[in-house]
């Protein structure tokens, strides 16, 4: 008996993720593809081999169970994984990406959201909005508050961007619009690209020493874990602002806490060594810090763009058209 040509699509999204990344319009587009299986209920109860049997493409996102070697072996027809979130590091075996299965990810759509958040963090510190707000709540004098917190212009600052990743480049574009001088440390950035971006290349130590603001945009890899330790943090200028919206593991936590307690530097932290923070975590009360709960990449608009983009990738794949967000096998080691 001849086996039918596989053509199905599986939507492996939790109810929460589905409500974030899919609109009624994108759901209609999926249904229009025909032979679509929608995972339902708790992911713990999903029978992945059954959901993916005969399926050529699947849509995944936050909360999707790992598609391990056993799943890929049992589902040989699966040719495309369209991931509506960012990192694919824990989604499936990295050696399978671009070889056993084509993988697309929405990380590029998240970059704008993170970049805007980073600029918001920087501006909040430069204008000391949290201190102005607290002062008014406490009844401080109008003129006294303006005298104590006069603020600084972003365009007058030198900003060091560690990592010319997609997000790093999105941040650079916004910084250039403000007129900031931008230093970049990234061994993969060549001189021509730096010139196109309008930035100055620098090694990490030089960047830390010359920057008023430092923002991190590198993936967490064995080579970048604790990239900033006590020595590197000690090389920051007095009064420098350190922004981390990438991964908490990029900075030695004990060294950062020690610096922050002295008040010599300030920090805007969206990520932490362990997440979510425990109720009694020291990070919740860390002085000279603005903190947020890993929120940089999350906006209603970016979520919907991510879902729509990955549905478009599935449509292109089924029409045998070039994909826009496919991850090449050689890129995997450098991805977050």
């Amino acid at each position: 008996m001849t086996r039918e040509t596989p053509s199905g699509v599986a939507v492996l999204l939790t109810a929460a993720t589905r409500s974030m990344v899919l609109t009624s319009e994108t759901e209609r587009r999926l249904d229009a593809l025909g032979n679509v299986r929608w995972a339902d209920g708790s992911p713990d109860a999903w029978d992945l081999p059954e959901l993916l049997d005969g399926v050529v493409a699947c849509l995944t996102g936050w909360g999707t169970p790992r598609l391990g070697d056993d799943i890929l072996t049992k589902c040989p027809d699966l040719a495309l994984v369209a991931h509506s979130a960012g990192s694919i590091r824990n989604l499936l075996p990295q050696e399978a990406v671009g070889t056993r299965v084509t993988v697309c990810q929405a990380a590029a759509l998240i970059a704008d959201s993170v970049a805007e958040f980073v600029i918001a963090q920087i501006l909040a510190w430069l204008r000391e909005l949290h201190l102005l707000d607290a002062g008014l709540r406490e009844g401080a004098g109008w003129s006294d508050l303006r005298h104590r917190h006069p603020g600084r212009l972003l365009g007058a600052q030198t900003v060091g961007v560690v990592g010319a990743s997609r997000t790093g480049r999105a941040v650079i574009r916004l910084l250039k619009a403000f007129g900031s001088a931008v230093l970049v440390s990234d061994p993969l950035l060549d001189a021509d690209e730096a010139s196109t971006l309008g930035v100055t290349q620098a090694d990490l130590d030089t960047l830390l020493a010359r920057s008023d603001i430092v923002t991190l945009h590198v993936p967490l890899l064995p080579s970048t874990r604790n990239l900033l330790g006590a020595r590197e943090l000690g090389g920051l200028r007095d009064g420098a602002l350190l922004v981390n919206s990438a991964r908490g593991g990029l900075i030695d936590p004990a060294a950062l806490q020690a610096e922050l307690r002295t008040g010599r530097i300030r920090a805007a932290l969206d990520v932490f060594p362990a997440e979510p923070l425990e109720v009694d975590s020291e990070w919740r009360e860390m002085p000279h810090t603005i903190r947020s709960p890993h929120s940089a990449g999350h906006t209603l608009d970016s979520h919907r763009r991510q879902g729509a983009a990955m549905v478009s990738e599935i449509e292109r794949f089924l029409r045998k058209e070039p994909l826009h967000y496919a991850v090449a096998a050689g890129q995997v080691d450098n991805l977050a």
Side-chain angles (χ1 to χ4, degrees):
M1 186 168 109
T2 303
R3 191 167 184 267
E4 291 185 6
T5 302
S7 61
V9 175
V11 180
L12 305 181
L13 299 178
T14 67
T17 300
R18 177 175 170 179
S19 68
M20 282 197 301
V21 303
L22 297 183
T23 63
S24 57
E25 171 59 25
T26 47
E27 289 191 358
R28 282 195 294 272
R29 286 169 55 194
L30 281 167
D31 281 328
L33 298 175
N35 193 17
V36 177
R37 299 175 190 167
W38 296 83
D40 193 20
S42 170
D44 294 336
W46 291 355
D47 186 334
L48 289 175
E50 182 177 342
L51 283 166
L52 294 171
D53 182 36
V55 160
V56 295
C58 68
L59 177 63
T60 61
W62 291 293
T64 299
R66 181 175 173 81
L67 307 178
D69 284 314
D70 57 331
I71 301 297
L72 296 181
T73 299
K74 292 176 182 177
C75 306
D77 297 320
L78 182 63
L80 175 73
V81 175
H83 192 51
S84 63
S87 176
I88 57 172
R89 192 161 292 279
N90 296 316
L91 179 65
L92 72 173
Q94 299 301 277
E95 64 274 10
V97 177
T99 56
R100 294 166 64 185
V101 63
T102 298
V103 178
C104 301
Q105 63 171 174
L109 283 303
I110 301 174
D112 287 341
S113 176
V114 175
E116 287 191 11
F117 195 89
V118 167
I119 297 299
Q121 289 174 307
I122 292 171
L123 291 173
W125 259 121
L126 289 177
R127 302 306 297 268
E128 298 185 310
L129 292 180
H130 59 301
L131 299 178
L132 292 170
D133 176 73
L136 286 175
R137 289 174 182 271
E138 294 164 3
W142 196 266
S143 296
D144 180 53
L145 273 177
R146 294 196 308 194
H147 178 73
R148 278 191 281 154
H149 307 293
R152 300 295 304 276
L153 282 176
L154 177 51
Q157 312 303 304
T158 296
V159 184
V161 177
V162 182
S165 59
R166 283 174 295 220
T167 304
R169 292 171 189 240
V171 170
I172 289 167
R173 287 193 293 271
L174 295 182
L175 290 171
K176 297 301 291 184
F178 279 89
S180 304
V182 181
L183 305 178
V184 176
S185 175
D186 188 327
L188 301 181
L189 181 69
D190 62 36
D192 289 340
E193 288 179 303
S195 177
T196 299
L197 290 171
V199 302
T200 301
Q201 291 178 283
D203 60 60
L204 182 60
D205 285 349
T206 300
L207 180 148
L208 295 173
R210 290 177 53 191
S211 299
D212 302 298
I213 300 162
V214 173
T215 180
L216 305 182
H217 299 289
V218 295
L220 181 59
L221 306 170
S223 59
T224 60
R225 182 170 291 279
N226 292 337
L227 178 68
L228 301 188
R231 185 188 71 81
E232 290 78 15
L233 293 172
L236 286 166
R237 289 181 173 182
D238 288 353
L241 171 62
L242 176 61
V243 182
N244 189 6
S245 62
R247 289 292 185 268
L250 296 173
I251 309 174
D252 181 282
L256 178 56
Q257 288 184 348
E259 285 285 0
L260 290 171
R261 288 191 177 104
T262 69
R264 194 184 70 80
I265 66 170
R266 302 164 294 167
L269 303 176
D270 187 52
V271 290
F272 301 88
E275 299 176 359
L277 292 179
E278 297 291 340
V279 174
D280 60 350
S281 170
E282 292 180 293
W283 291 107
R284 290 182 182 266
E285 301 297 331
M286 194 56 52
H288 311 293
T289 305
I290 292 178
R291 70 225 90 209
S292 49
H294 207 139
S295 303
H298 297 278
T299 66
L300 291 173
D301 305 289
S302 58
H303 289 161
R304 290 165 182 166
R305 288 177 183 176
Q306 290 159 224
M310 291 304 103
V311 171
S312 293
E313 287 290 78
I314 293 173
E315 292 169 338
R316 281 188 280 267
F317 181 80
L318 295 177
R319 294 194 299 260
K320 303 186 185 306
E321 296 175 357
L323 302 176
H324 294 178
Y325 300 100
V327 178
Q331 295 177 318
V332 174
D333 289 343
N334 295 319
L335 294 177

